[in-house]
């Protein structure tokens, strides 16, 4: 019986070691982030070195994710956003877009995936989870991937303007605030 348990444990460790070497990246923030009340202007959700959970696909330098090799990748992301607004009318709304961007401010800039949410009367002070569903994309060695948010121009009221209010924050009962996952599928 002990030999069977030891063999099972060794196989578990070998399996864990093999899967932990998959070419993938996961970065997530546990810190709240303030957004400016500007419509249509993208605002980056920055990650720090301490936010990196694992990285087997590239470099993470100066808050930038840069892939090391070309290929097909599955990308996804999420952010929990709360506009923090109180006392509005039933005709008001706030429209937020979350998007993954390849090569920000470069000639080959491209949106890799998006998610939108419309806050309406009754949920202006509630964190909503915006999820960019997994999508297969082609990336070249040296491409940068970053996460951005913008308040869409169809918004009728301002988000909370207090510089002390963080809009990207923890929903009740959860730890993670925002994250990006990238997994290499093939060369």
């Amino acid at each position: 019986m002990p030999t069977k348990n030891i063999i099972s444990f060794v196989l578990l460790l070998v399996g864990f070691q093999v899967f932990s070497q998959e070419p993938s990246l996961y970065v997530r923030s546990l810190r709240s982030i303030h957004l400016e009340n500007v419509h249509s202007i993208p605002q980056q959700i920055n990650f720090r070195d301490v936010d990196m959970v694992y990285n087997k696909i590239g470099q993470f330098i100066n808050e930038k994710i840069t892939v090391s090799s070309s290929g097909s990748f599955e990308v996804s992301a999420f952010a929990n956003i709360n506009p923090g607004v109180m006392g509005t009318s039933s005709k008001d709304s706030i429209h937020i877009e979350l998007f993954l961007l390849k090569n920000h401010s470069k000639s080959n800039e491209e949106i890799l995936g998006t998610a939108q949410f419309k806050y309406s009367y009754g949920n202006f002070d509630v964190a909503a989870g915006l999820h960019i569903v997994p999508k297969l994309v082609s990336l070249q060695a040296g491409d940068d991937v970053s996460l951005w948010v913008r308040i869409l121009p169809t918004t009728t009221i301002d988000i909370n303007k207090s510089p002390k209010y963080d809009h990207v924050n923890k929903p009740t009962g959860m730890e993670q605030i925002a994250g990006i996952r990238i997994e290499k599928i093939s060369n």
Side-chain angles (χ1 to χ4, degrees):
M1 188 67 153
T3 305
K4 183 178 178 182
N5 288 340
I6 292 171
I7 292 172
S8 296
F9 182 71
V10 169
L11 288 174
L12 178 68
L13 288 176
V14 169
F16 183 72
Q17 180 66 21
V18 168
F19 287 114
S20 69
Q21 298 301 317
E22 289 180 2
S24 59
L25 172 142
Y26 180 60
V27 61
R28 53 81 181 112
S29 176
L30 302 177
R31 288 175 322 286
S32 297
I33 302 165
H34 176 76
L35 297 175
E36 296 300 323
N37 184 45
V38 291
H39 295 210
S40 302
I41 298 175
Q43 300 176 59
Q44 186 172 2
I45 296 179
N46 290 317
F47 298 95
R48 298 185 184 147
D49 291 337
V50 297
D51 297 332
M52 187 60 63
V53 177
Y54 55 86
N55 179 4
K56 302 281 185 189
I57 66 158
Q59 297 181 356
F60 184 71
I61 301 172
N62 298 326
E63 301 178 343
K64 288 175 63 175
I65 298 167
T66 305
V67 296
S68 297
S69 63
S70 302
S72 294
F73 294 81
E74 183 181 83
V75 297
S76 60
F78 73 94
N80 297 299
I81 302 173
N82 183 342
V85 178
M86 302 276 245
T88 61
S89 82
S90 61
K91 294 179 182 157
D92 289 326
S93 63
I94 298 172
H95 302 190
I96 302 274
E97 180 181 40
L98 180 72
F99 57 101
L100 271 172
L101 192 60
K102 176 177 90 172
N103 297 327
H104 172 64
S105 296
K106 295 180 182 174
S107 61
N108 60 344
E109 180 178 284
E110 177 185 348
I111 293 178
L112 300 176
T114 65
Q116 292 184 4
F117 190 80
K118 178 182 176 182
Y119 297 85
S120 57
Y121 187 74
N123 72 353
F124 288 125
D125 193 28
V126 176
L130 282 76
H131 301 271
I132 298 173
V133 297
K135 181 178 179 186
L136 195 61
V137 299
S138 178
L139 298 173
Q140 302 302 313
D143 282 346
D144 296 323
V145 178
S146 50
L147 187 60
W148 297 76
V149 64
R150 71 176 142 218
I151 302 166
L152 297 174
T154 50
T155 295
T156 62
I157 60 172
D158 292 338
I159 62 173
N160 188 324
K161 295 182 192 177
S162 171
K164 295 181 180 181
Y165 187 84
D166 290 335
H167 302 90
V168 183
N169 58 30
K170 292 181 186 178
T172 303
M174 298 191 72
E175 287 293 320
Q176 300 179 11
I177 293 168
I180 300 174
R181 184 184 159 280
I182 304 171
E183 181 180 356
K184 188 166 188 182
I185 304 300
S186 67
N187 292 328

